[in-house]
Amino acid sequence: MIGKFFRKPESDQSDRVPPGQYLTKGFPVLTYGQTPQIDFQSWEFRVWGLAQPKTFSWSDFMALPQHDFTADFHCVTRWSKLDVKWTGIKVTDFMNLVEVAPNATHVMEHCYGDYTTNIPLEDFVREENFFAHTLFGEPLPAEHGGPLRLVVPHLYAWKSAKWLNGLEFLDHEELGFWERNGYHRRGEPWAEERYSF
Ligand SMILES: Nc1nc2c(c(=O)[nH]1)N[C@H]1C(S)=C(S)[C@@H](COP(=O)(O)O)O[C@H]1N2
Ligand SMILES: [Mo]
């Protein structure tokens, strides 16, 4: 697959490309199943489990501080895209609105379309993580997770759930969709935490 679309990292970028990854200039779409049809009017976002249950509307998210982000994106299928430009809301700002129980240690990300992925609480609540609604200055296209997706730059992109609509707080680790199907529990690209076998 190397050649027209995938390039060996150039030397000045190679320190940003994790082992075993190739750069792509396009932005491939990686979805298991169909892109869910989301009616914008009824869009909502819930938190539950070991957190005070709450439902957030689109305007609740828009009322939070909006930031531009530039982040590298690493898919476990070996493509990486550098300098993706997004706009959205910091996870840390959103989490100021959520009352999490002191014994919570893990989060399950839930989505429209029933995809799930698990993440330790400390990997989730990081300054550089964000909820994105805009990609390269345009409303986030449905196939890339619009209206809202999570972006967790320091882990493989399957942790960056598209069509995110809920967070379940847990006091133990449960496995999400790909993790039950052989992907690594944590997925750190610099350590090549690709698969669990
Ligand atoms: N809801 C949902 N989120 C998802 C996925 C998915 O299938 N469903 N695929 C994951 C994988 S494997 C990757 S690499 C990225 C791909 O994001 P993209 O399609 O915007 O490139 O989304 C992640 N988030
Ligand atoms: Mo992926």
Side-chain angles (χ1 to χ4, degrees):
M1 290 261 278
I2 303 162
K4 194 161 177 217
F5 299 108
F6 292 86
R7 298 176 299 128
K8 282 270 192 191
E10 284 157 22
S11 53
D12 62 329
Q13 295 179 325
S14 58
D15 59 342
R16 293 170 57 192
V17 182
Q21 296 292 112
Y22 290 94
L23 290 181
T24 177
K25 278 205 160 163
F27 197 173
V29 170
L30 254 282
T31 300
Y32 184 84
Q34 301 296 307
T35 294
Q37 302 293 318
I38 298 162
D39 166 17
F40 221 86
Q41 301 306 311
S42 58
W43 183 93
E44 59 178 30
F45 190 105
R46 292 197 308 127
V47 302
W48 74 95
L50 294 174
Q52 186 69 37
K54 254 188 181 177
T55 302
F56 297 88
S57 66
W58 187 254
S59 47
D60 293 330
F61 272 81
M62 293 306 113
L64 286 164
Q66 304 293 315
H67 297 277
D68 293 331
F69 302 89
T70 300
D72 298 345
F73 199 83
H74 309 296
C75 173
V76 72
T77 65
R78 298 187 183 271
W79 57 268
S80 288
K81 182 172 179 59
L82 302 183
D83 293 328
V84 185
K85 308 275 189 207
W86 310 89
T87 308
I89 298 105
K90 287 185 180 185
V91 167
T92 49
D93 285 338
F94 173 75
M95 289 300 289
N96 288 332
L97 309 178
V98 179
E99 263 179 75
V100 179
N103 56 330
T105 53
H106 290 79
V107 182
M108 187 67 76
E109 306 170 22
H110 292 265
C111 306
Y112 288 101
D114 289 340
Y115 181 88
T116 53
T117 184
N118 57 281
I119 186 169
L121 184 59
E122 63 184 5
D123 279 315
F124 176 66
V125 185
R126 281 172 66 138
E127 193 60 36
E128 74 270 21
N129 297 347
F130 56 92
F131 304 99
H133 53 68
T134 297
L135 174 63
F136 291 112
E138 303 287 338
L140 181 59
E143 66 270 22
H144 284 299
L148 191 84
R149 79 178 299 166
L150 181 67
V151 179
V152 178
H154 75 289
L155 298 178
Y156 281 122
W158 86 81
K159 303 290 186 180
S160 293
K162 304 194 278 192
W163 316 292
L164 188 71
N165 71 353
L167 300 169
E168 178 185 7
F169 292 87
L170 301 162
D171 64 1
H172 59 280
E173 184 175 61
E174 287 185 14
L175 300 182
F177 171 72
W178 280 121
E179 294 84 0
R180 286 194 304 273
N181 286 283
Y183 281 23
H184 195 276
R185 292 154 178 274
R186 178 152 183 266
E188 211 277 303
W190 295 94
E192 286 205 71
E193 293 175 343
R194 296 175 188 275
Y195 308 108
S196 59
F197 42 81

